[in-house]
Amino acid sequence: MILSSERETAKAAFLEAHGFGDVRRQPLGGDASTRSYERLRRRDQSFIFMDQPPSVETAPCPPDATPEQRAALGYNALARLAAGRVDAFVACAGWLNAQGLSAPKVLAADASAGLAVLEDLGDDLYARLIETGTDEAPLYDAAIDGLLAIHAAPVPDVLSFDGSTWPLLTYDDLALKTAHDIFVEWQPKFRDLAFDNAARAEWEAIWAPIRAKGEAGATVFCHRDYHAENLIWLPERKGPARVGMLDFQDAVLAHPAWDLSMLLHDARRTVSPEREAACLERYLAARPGLDRTAFLADYHALGALNIIRILGIFARLVTRDSKPRYADFIPRLWVYLDVCFADPALADLKAWFDQYVPVEARR
């Protein structure tokens, strides 16, 4: 990793070279990633400065990598994450903006240095607005309309914008397996559980057909982190462009239920059953060609996988990375999971949890 003083020199040189040498710099709060952000100010203008040191993440997944090669490269390749790559952000932002949506416009970028200056979409995150009393209904309606716009758009195998290209890889069987296996790896360290070989064999047998449906249904651009902390309300814009979208650089080709789960199984704020039902109804009403029953079954199954993935990630953040605040979000995820378990098609998965994860560990 580049030392802080060297990194700061590189950042200052980048800003000077791209016409931002005269700005005032204000650090912004971080997230669970290895990125950092600053707000740049020049008179009445503001911009966002993104810093993703290129050497702090394991490599992303090459499009033609075998499962063995992905395992050797590490977690990002297994999960088909972008490893924070700036060229992924630039290419995805360009594609979203080309669909008439609102991703930050990229004003300057150096992918090899891991630096970019972005349009500043403001501070009106969905989560903060709703906390202060804004009616959530129009915000969530617009978020669903944003997903409908994304899901209606044909997607190329490779995204390209302003000299940056990035492959839109499928959220495939191995990536989905990596997602749910985080739980059995890290939850025992968080809640003093033990999963023996028999439990793990049952786990795999339950998930295999769900993964097959997830991969077979991978037909749309998937933002992959589409929730209230990554959506900005832009009421002066029109239609789905009112939804400012952030943190989409890990996009993949995935089942359309995935981003619905990210939105409606939000780890950081409670989405009520009534809001969830209204959003699903809005989505399904706009896509009358979908088999409603089959789609909702996939939503519950892949939603359960997604929730379990997040439970595993938060357990890892708490135990390995010493970030205890993520434990506060965990009880909400168990509530969402119980709702998914109400689907009779997930009876085997529910039974597995009933046998191996005591109720007192679900907190």
Side-chain angles (χ1 to χ4, degrees), residues 292-354:
R292 181 187 185 95
T293 301
F295 186 86
L296 288 175
D298 288 350
Y299 168 76
H300 293 141
L302 293 172
L305 195 159
N306 184 37
I307 294 163
I308 287 163
R309 174 188 70 89
I310 300 170
L311 282 167
I313 288 173
F314 285 0
R316 184 175 66 189
L317 285 167
V318 173
T319 58
R320 186 193 70 184
D321 301 340
S322 300
K323 295 183 176 181
R325 71 185 184 92
Y326 286 92
D328 296 339
F329 305 137
I330 286 175
R332 179 181 294 115
L333 291 164
W334 287 111
V335 174
Y336 293 145
L337 191 58
D338 281 341
V339 174
C340 291
F341 283 166
D343 189 324
L346 296 181
D348 288 347
L349 183 61
K350 180 180 183 302
W352 188 95
F353 274 83
D354 289 343

Side-chain angles (χ1 to χ4, degrees), residues 137-189:
L139 276 65
Y140 275 89
D141 284 352
I144 292 296
D145 294 346
L147 286 182
L148 287 165
I150 290 173
H151 295 174
V155 287
D157 293 336
V158 177
L159 305 175
S160 179
F161 180 75
D162 198 26
S164 290
T165 61
W166 195 256
L168 193 69
L169 303 180
T170 299
Y171 208 160
D172 66 354
D173 183 85
L174 180 55
L176 291 166
K177 177 175 170 55
T178 301
H180 63 60
D181 279 356
I182 299 171
F183 180 89
V184 291
E185 179 182 0
W186 287 97
Q187 196 69 17
K189 299 167 185 168

Side-chain angles (χ1 to χ4, degrees), residues 62-302:
D64 57 353
T66 66
E68 294 75 20
Q69 289 169 332
R70 287 163 69 177
L73 286 169
Y75 176 72
N76 284 327
L78 285 168
R80 289 191 157 169
L81 296 169
R85 291 275 293 270
V86 166
D87 39 351
F89 185 97
V90 172
C92 290
W95 186 86
L96 288 166
N97 284 317
Q99 312 315 309
L101 300 169
S102 293
K105 293 181 173 59
V106 179
L107 307 177
D110 184 337
S112 63
L115 298 169
V117 176
L118 313 173
E119 175 188 13
D120 187 352
L121 295 180
D123 293 319
D124 286 339
L125 287 172
Y126 272 37
R128 301 292 85 75
L129 290 177
I130 295 168
E131 283 174 353
T132 55
T134 299
D135 181 7
E136 69 176 27
L139 276 65
Y140 275 89
D141 284 352
I144 292 296
D145 294 346
L147 286 182
L148 287 165
I150 290 173
H151 295 174
V155 287
D157 293 336
V158 177
L159 305 175
S160 179
F161 180 75
D162 198 26
S164 290
T165 61
W166 195 256
L168 193 69
L169 303 180
T170 299
Y171 208 160
D172 66 354
D173 183 85
L174 180 55
L176 291 166
K177 177 175 170 55
T178 301
H180 63 60
D181 279 356
I182 299 171
F183 180 89
V184 291
E185 179 182 0
W186 287 97
Q187 196 69 17
K189 299 167 185 168
F190 178 60
R191 287 293 181 228
D192 194 24
L193 299 170
F195 304 131
D196 61 18
N197 290 339
R200 286 175 176 263
E202 292 174 40
W203 177 261
E204 171 58 21
I206 291 166
W207 283 116
I210 295 173
R211 297 198 308 266
K213 287 185 178 181
E215 182 169 0
T219 56
V220 301
F221 179 103
C222 175
H223 178 295
R224 210 171 180 177
D225 215 7
Y226 195 83
H227 57 76
E229 296 280 354
N230 282 335
L231 303 177
I232 294 179
W233 187 231
L234 303 170
E236 72 283 1
R237 302 189 186 187
K238 303 296 183 184
R242 293 176 298 166
V243 183
M245 301 180 188
L246 306 176
D247 207 14
F248 41 71
Q249 62 280 339
D250 289 320
V252 285
L253 192 74
H255 193 294
W258 193 266
D259 272 342
L260 282 167
S261 173
M262 286 304 308
L263 180 67
L264 303 176
H265 300 141
D266 191 330
R268 293 165 179 81
R269 69 171 308 272
T270 298
V271 178
S272 70
E274 295 77 17
R275 179 60 50 211
E276 178 188 28
C279 286
L280 289 171
E281 185 57 41
R282 185 178 185 89
Y283 184 86
L284 290 166
R287 298 193 65 187
L290 286 178
D291 181 325
R292 181 187 185 95
T293 301
F295 186 86
L296 288 175
D298 288 350
Y299 168 76
H300 293 141
L302 293 172

